């Protein structure tokens, strides 16, 4: 969950920053392709991704499942940060450029410190999505890195012995604790981030 949250947020923030302020040639077409990718069902891309990861030696490994989560999260992360940065006054960016700021310096010293609300929104969405993922973890993670959802399914759907409902409920509660804790401690920031531009554009 940790690398599958931090890396997509950093890459999504970088993409959104570039598409909002620098706008290289073909950026609108690239953004459109990313948005189309968000609507392609996971199942359609499952077999090609298995072949690609197997050829790279990453199938059934922790780096492999992290890479898969990064790929599938890019459209939404880019959309969130692009819309957020579009609400930032262009004059602020131009002033930083006049002061001699380059691409990375403006991003690290100016944009990221201003992005706390939307980073919290992105983190909540990514943590929840990765933690609750079942199909990607089942296919790509391998036996040693199975997510909690797969483990929970294995506990509940066991076919041997008497069904232990108390154990099943305890496992369900333990599985849901992480998303609940994230929403509980970050709820105030989530509302601020949404109001600050997460659904604008």
């Amino acid at each position: 969950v940790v690398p599958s949250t931090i890396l997509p947020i950093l890459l999504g923030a970088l993409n959104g920053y570039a598409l909002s302020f620098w706008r290289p040639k073909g950026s609108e077409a690239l953004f459109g392709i990313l948005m189309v990718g968000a609507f392609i069902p996971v199942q359609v891309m499952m077999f090609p991704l298995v072949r690609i990861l197997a050829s790279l030696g990453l199938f059934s490994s922790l780096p492999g499942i992290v890479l898969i989560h990064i790929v599938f999260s890019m459209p939404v992360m880019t959309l969130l940060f692009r819309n957020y940065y579009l609400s930032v006054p262009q004059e602020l960016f131009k002033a930083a450029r006049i002061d001699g700021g380059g691409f990375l310096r403006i991003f690290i010293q100016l944009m990221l410190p201003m992005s706390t609300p939307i980073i919290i929104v992105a983190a909540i969405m990514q943590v929840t999505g990765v933690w609750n993922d079942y199909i990607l973890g089942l296919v790509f993670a391998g036996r040693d890195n199975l997510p909690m959802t797969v483990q929970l399914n294995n506990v509940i759907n066991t076919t041997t012995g008497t069904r232990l409902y108390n154990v099943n409920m305890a496992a369900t509660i333990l599985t849901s604790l992480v998303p609940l804790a994230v929403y509980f401690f970050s709820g105030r920031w989530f509302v601020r981030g949404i109001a600050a531009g997460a659904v604008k554009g």
Side-chain angles (χ1 to χ4, degrees), residues 150-159 163 167-169 171-172:
V150 178
Q151 302 286 12
L152 177 63
N153 179 70
N154 294 339
V155 169
I156 292 177
N157 290 322
T158 182
T159 57
R163 189 175 293 275
V167 175
N168 294 345
M169 287 304 300
T172 304

Side-chain angles (χ1 to χ4, degrees), residues 113-188:
M114 296 172 54
S115 305
T116 301
I118 198 64
I119 289 175
I120 298 297
V121 171
I124 290 174
M125 294 180 63
Q126 193 64 11
V127 166
T128 305
V130 174
W131 187 265
N132 292 333
D133 167 58
Y134 179 81
I135 185 67
L136 295 178
L138 180 63
V139 174
F140 294 100
R143 285 183 173 272
D144 296 332
N145 306 296
L146 290 176
M148 286 290 290
T149 49
V150 178
Q151 302 286 12
L152 177 63
N153 179 70
N154 294 339
V155 169
I156 292 177
N157 290 322
T158 182
T159 57
T160 59
T162 305
R163 189 175 293 275
L164 302 175
Y165 291 100
N166 57 334
V167 175
N168 294 345
M169 287 304 300
T172 304
I173 291 173
L174 288 174
T175 303
S176 64
L177 279 181
V178 169
L180 287 175
V182 169
Y183 276 104
F184 179 79
F185 290 109
S186 307
R188 177 170 59 93

